[in-house]
Each structure stands twice: as C-alpha cells, then as structure tokens.
Amino acid sequence: MSDCSQQKGILFSISGPSGVGKGTIVNEVKKKYPSFGVSISATTRAPRGTEQNGVEYYFKTNDEFDQMLAEGEILEYDTYVGNRYGTPAAPLRKMVDSGTDCLLDITIAGSLALKDKFKEDAVTIFVLPPSFEVLANRLVGRGTEKADVIEGRLAKAREEVLEASKFDYIVVNNELDDAVAKVEAIIASEHLRAFRNEASASRL
Amino acid sequence: MSDCSQQKGILFSISGPSGVGKGTIVNEVKKKYPSFGVSISATTRAPRGTEQNGVEYYFKTNDEFDQMLAEGEILEYDTYVGNRYGTPAAPLRKMVDSGTDCLLDITIAGSLALKDKFKEDAVTIFVLPPSFEVLANRLVGRGTEKADVIEGRLAKAREEVLEASKFDYIVVNNELDDAVAKVEAIIASEHLRAFRNEASASRL
C-alpha cells in the first residue's frame, strides 16, 4: 500500500493469565501475517548441536546478559534450570526501523516494559478470560496440573487481570475465531492511526 | 457482548475533501451497523408538509439557533437559501450515554469540533484520495460541474488534506471495499481500547 510504504513497524504484544489462550491466538494471527518479524530470545544457555547465534537464540555469557539487563535491553526474562531466557530490545528496534511488524507473546511485565521502551511503536493487548470459571475449566481441562497448582494459577490470574487497564487494548477470549478477528482489527486500525501516516497527505 | 455491555457509545466521524467518496463509504458502513444512531440536523427552515420536529430535523428559530451556537451546541453549520442547517451536540451526547454508536458524515471543521467537545468519546477519520489526479478524475467524472468549479474544489482539497494529521485515523480511499473494511476495523478496535473496558476485568 502506497500509504504505508514509509511507515515504521509496529510491535504488537499479547499478554494475559496462564490458560487464557494467548498462545493459540498468537499462532493463529501469525499464520495470517507471514511477513511479521520473529522475536528471537537471548539466553545464557550454551548452544547445542547445530544451534547458531541469532537463529535459535542469541547466545550470551552471564556477564553480557547482566549488562543488557543493566542497560534496559532485556524487556523480560525468566530462569529455567539455571539459565536465563529473555526478550532483547535491539532486534525489535531494528524491526521498527525497517518497517517490519512483530507479534510478541510475552509476560505482562514484558508488555509493560515494551510499551515503556517503545512508546507509540508498541501496541499492547491484554487477553481476558470470559470468566474465572471458564479459566478454571481450561486449566483443569489440560489435565497436566494438580489441584493446588491450578488454585495457585487462578489466584495469580485474579491479580494479573488488574493490570489489564495498563494495556492499550483488552480482548476477551470468548471464542477463538472472534478473538483472532479482534486482534486483526487492532493490527489493521493501528496502521491507520494518523500519527503513523502524517506523510501520506504531503505525498499526494 | 458481555465485555461491552457497560460501554459508552462512540461517535465516529468521517471527513475529507469533496469527491473523495466519503458519502459512499459512510452509506456502506451504515448498512453493516443497523444499530447505529442517526444524527438529525437542526435547521432554521420552517417544517414542510408532514415533517415533525426531531424526525426529519430539529426545527429551531433563528434566536434558538444563535443561542445553541453561542453555547457550543452546534458542531458545524452551513447556510442554504437563507436557512441554517447544523449538527447539534445534545442528541450525540445522549447516544454516548446510552451506549449507542453513531457514524457522522461531516465537514472537517465539524470533525475537529466533535473531537474537541467529546474527546475520547469521539473518533475522527479523514479520508484521503489515492492522489490528486484520481480526485480530479472523480470530480470530472461526475459531469455535473464546470471546469472552474472543479479547479476550485481541487485547490480547496489541497488545503484540506493538510488537516488530516489532526484526525485520529487516515484512510486512503483507493478501493471502496478496502476503505469500508478499514473503517470497520477502526470501529471494532476502538471498542477494544482498554480505557473503554476498565470495568471488564473487575466484572470477571
């Protein structure tokens, strides 16, 4: 589209409580936007087999990872089996500058850090369950967790949903197709925001 | 939708230069949203035949119209054959409060006044032509105007498009179906904005 040719890329993020179905939504949306960029995590884990730096992961030493954290260049991270895995900001900045959109499935804290760092170049979406009963049923339905783990996740979810108002958009995941359509509407409309198209009138 | 049941109505407006096709876009979009409210103009013209106050028009005396203007209750108006026709704010306020959306086809000044008055309850869309050549061809194609009138409209259009950056969204009317889909995406996504859904998390 000629009206979007000069536009910066937009970093869309999707967050929400465990079991809300955000991973499924992200996968469905990504299928429809094959040109979206892919966010590659940074990790302190050593490469395995044929893994290459910048392909599966950005491989970092603990010192490098610490420095990136200190510089605010890691949006969020988690630790598994003694290794840290995080979302680096620099590759996202390159996507914005090259006009490439990206859809990130990240934690609530990660989305808030993304917005803080990228301002209007980031668009954050919070996925809510239709109700806590539905969320509980989905967590039970997975059949992979014990009752006390599910109770813990629900308690955490009740706290997490209070963060929804800090996001740009709220999508209730009542039905997958409907939620996917809503995210697509957000993606389409954000590209039409006037501040992203200030050059389009003068280019006429 | 349970997540929207408490939501205020949104006043969408579409503006743009003469010949850009905004009337056609508005008509197509309205067909898809039959629940949208209808904005009834206020006029100083006397009622004709079976015309009823509040149905075809709100009929006002010149003094009443002057007072509404002084109170900022007329968003825009034009004069035809000695009578004034304007967009009154009060019925729009009722729509917002009752949760009814509305799509207004109004002048550029009217959209800016709407935004100024209704703030976040108003969403303004500027329709741009793909190029001035296309706009000129559309104006010529109508076959209803003389060359000097068309020249005047084009000159005015060149000034008007500079106002586009004051709007919330910019839609280039390259192809009708595409422009209509873009307006629909804006309507859908605006309902998902977090500030319109702050109660949805606490209602869970």
Side-chain angles (χ1 to χ4, degrees):
Chain A
M1 297 184 292
S2 65
D3 52 308
C4 289
S5 59
Q6 309 284 326
Q7 225 177 47
K8 289 198 283 183
I10 305 175
L11 307 171
F12 297 95
S13 77
I14 294 197
S15 300
S18 175
V20 81
K22 58 187 185 299
T24 313
I25 295 172
V26 166
N27 288 340
E28 289 302 310
V29 173
K30 279 185 175 173
K31 281 184 200 165
K32 305 200 179 187
Y33 299 88
S35 67
F36 271 31
V38 174
S39 169
I40 298 168
S41 296
T43 182
T44 57
R45 167 167 84 59
R48 294 175 190 149
T50 58
E51 286 182 345
Q52 288 184 289
N53 187 47
V55 180
E56 290 84 2
Y57 290 99
Y58 294 104
F59 295 101
K60 302 289 175 186
T61 65
N62 268 309
D63 284 349
E64 286 169 339
F65 203 94
D66 284 339
Q67 190 176 346
M68 289 169 78
L69 273 175
E71 290 168 350
E73 286 295 314
I74 297 281
L75 295 174
E76 54 157 8
Y77 78 97
D78 257 315
T79 305
Y80 297 104
V81 206
N83 293 308
R84 289 177 289 176
Y85 296 79
T87 305
L92 301 179
R93 196 172 294 115
K94 277 189 194 158
M95 288 191 222
V96 169
D97 293 341
S98 66
T100 304
D101 285 0
C102 185
L103 180 62
L104 297 155
D105 175 359
I106 55 177
T107 62
I108 293 168
S111 272
L112 296 177
L114 183 80
K115 188 74 187 180
D116 189 51
K117 194 159 192 80
F118 289 95
K119 313 291 184 205
E120 66 188 22
D121 295 325
V123 172
T124 57
I125 302 168
F126 196 101
V127 181
L128 281 179
S131 69
F132 285 113
E133 290 67 36
V134 171
L135 187 65
N137 289 337
R138 285 183 191 162
L139 289 168
V140 171
R142 287 179 172 180
T144 54
E145 312 288 357
K146 290 184 183 168
D148 60 336
V149 174
I150 289 172
E151 273 308 308
R153 293 215 168 148
L154 276 175
K156 194 178 175 197
R158 285 180 191 278
E159 283 179 23
E160 287 176 331
V161 298
L162 302 177
E163 307 280 341
S165 64
K166 297 176 185 168
F167 281 62
D168 293 317
Y169 294 93
I170 294 175
V171 170
V172 177
N173 188 15
N174 234 315
E175 201 267 312
L176 178 64
D177 287 351
D178 178 59
V180 169
K182 285 175 171 171
V183 172
E184 289 175 348
I186 292 167
I187 292 170
S189 72
E190 279 291 333
H191 279 284
L192 303 170
R193 297 281 290 269
F195 73 82
R196 300 192 206 282
N197 293 284
E198 287 187 342
S200 51
S202 54
R203 270 203 306 274
L204 283 184
Chain B
M1 298 183 291
S2 64
D3 52 308
C4 290
S5 59
Q6 308 284 326
Q7 224 177 48
K8 288 199 283 183
I10 305 175
L11 306 171
F12 297 96
S13 76
I14 294 198
S15 301
S18 175
V20 81
K22 57 187 186 300
T24 313
I25 294 172
V26 166
N27 288 339
E28 288 302 309
V29 174
K30 279 186 174 172
K31 281 184 202 166
K32 305 200 179 186
Y33 299 88
S35 67
F36 270 32
V38 174
S39 169
I40 298 167
S41 296
T43 181
T44 57
R45 166 167 85 60
R48 295 175 190 150
T50 59
E51 285 182 347
Q52 287 184 290
N53 187 46
V55 179
E56 289 85 359
Y57 290 99
Y58 294 104
F59 295 101
K60 302 290 175 187
T61 65
N62 267 309
D63 283 352
E64 285 170 341
F65 204 95
D66 284 339
Q67 191 177 344
M68 289 169 78
L69 272 176
E71 290 167 351
E73 286 294 316
I74 297 281
L75 295 174
E76 54 155 9
Y77 79 97
D78 257 314
T79 304
Y80 297 104
V81 206
N83 293 307
R84 288 177 289 177
Y85 297 79
T87 305
L92 301 178
R93 196 172 294 114
K94 276 188 194 158
M95 287 191 223
V96 170
D97 293 342
S98 66
T100 304
D101 286 0
C102 185
L103 181 62
L104 298 155
D105 174 359
I106 55 177
T107 62
I108 293 167
S111 272
L112 296 177
L114 183 81
K115 189 74 187 180
D116 189 51
K117 195 161 192 76
F118 288 95
K119 312 291 186 205
E120 66 188 22
D121 296 325
V123 172
T124 56
I125 302 169
F126 196 101
V127 181
L128 280 180
S131 69
F132 284 112
E133 290 67 36
V134 171
L135 187 64
N137 289 337
R138 285 184 191 162
L139 289 168
V140 171
R142 287 178 173 182
T144 55
E145 313 288 358
K146 291 183 183 166
D148 59 336
V149 174
I150 290 171
E151 272 308 307
R153 293 215 168 148
L154 276 176
K156 195 177 174 197
R158 286 181 191 276
E159 282 179 23
E160 287 176 332
V161 299
L162 302 176
E163 307 280 339
S165 64
K166 298 176 184 167
F167 282 61
D168 294 318
Y169 294 93
I170 294 176
V171 169
V172 176
N173 188 14
N174 234 314
E175 202 267 311
L176 179 63
D177 287 350
D178 178 58
V180 169
K182 284 175 172 171
V183 173
E184 289 175 349
I186 292 167
I187 292 170
S189 72
E190 279 291 333
H191 279 284
L192 304 169
R193 297 281 290 268
F195 72 84
R196 300 192 207 282
N197 294 284
E198 287 186 343
S200 52
S202 54
R203 271 202 307 276
L204 282 183

